[in-house]
Amino acid sequence: KDLTGSITNPDVKLNLGGEFIKESTATTFLRQRGYGWLLEVEDDDPEDNKPLLEELDIDLKDIYYKIRCVLMPMPSLGFNRQVVRDNPDFWGPLAVVLFFSMISLYGQFKVVSWIITIWIFGSLTIFLLARVLGGEVAYGQVLGVIGYSLLPLIVIAPVLLVVGSFEVVSTLIKLFGVFWAAYSAASLLVGEEFKTKKPLLIYPIFLLYIYFLSLYTGV
């Protein structure tokens, strides 16, 4: 027998918030064939709506606190200075090194790459010495401490511009800046585990900041 008749599309409706919306023929066809996943709409991921600073893992309050810890290294001031070593970051030290680079040699920007190179490889040298001497410190920690501790040299930079014609005063300020920077770094990196070997690590840290200062003054 001949079979005759017609097939009509099912009247499929979606319930969206209490309102029923009729699906189109194409939508119904895809769902019947198992391709309904093509029509799914992903919810907005709150992770994609983070602020730029949070995406880059930049905490300005944390950086500001670490700057104060370096500029005021005296224990009596009550700062938890170990946070500079125990919670290292990359963007804060990089900003300090870049700022020091830009003011070095009175605006000759060709030294920027060289100062960054000295920061990276100088920190690597200090890290290797610390590990050889038995210190439990990571390279990221050394990199952060050495970078942040350039702040005293940045502080004395404008003073040197004013007293540059007075050789004795200028020399004293340079020595003060280097001792300040070296003390800030050494007090964070040189722990009790070094015991009698402390001078073996403090001395190269002191020399590293002398070299940083020489890049600024053009010596």
Side-chain angles (χ1 to χ4, degrees), residues 176-196:
F176 173 73
V178 171
F179 275 109
W180 186 4
Y183 175 78
S184 292
S187 61
L188 290 168
L189 293 177
V190 180
E192 292 299 326
E193 64 268 23
F194 292 101
K195 296 182 180 179
T196 59

Side-chain angles (χ1 to χ4, degrees), residues 92-154:
L94 179 63
V96 173
V97 173
L98 287 176
F99 187 68
F100 178 76
S101 302
M102 287 188 290
I103 66 172
S104 294
L105 296 181
Y106 310 103
Q108 297 184 30
F109 293 103
K110 62 183 179 181
V111 301
V112 173
S113 59
W114 181 241
I115 289 178
I116 293 177
T117 302
I118 295 302
W119 170 49
I120 292 174
F121 287 97
S123 299
L124 179 61
T125 302
I126 301 299
F127 164 71
L128 293 176
L129 286 173
R131 298 295 290 186
V132 168
L133 294 174
E136 296 295 332
V137 63
Y139 176 61
Q141 294 175 322
V142 178
L143 197 67
V145 169
I146 296 297
Y148 273 118
S149 296
L150 276 174
L151 285 167
L153 300 186
I154 295 176

Side-chain angles (χ1 to χ4, degrees), residues 53-54 57-70 79-80 83-84 87 89 91-92 148:
L53 293 180
E54 189 175 345
D57 196 22
I58 300 176
D59 189 343
L60 296 180
K61 291 183 179 180
D62 182 60
I63 292 174
Y64 175 64
Y65 185 82
K66 290 177 180 177
I67 288 175
R68 289 192 296 168
C69 289
V70 171
F79 289 108
N80 181 20
V83 73
V84 182
N87 186 27
D89 66 287
W91 297 107
Y148 273 118

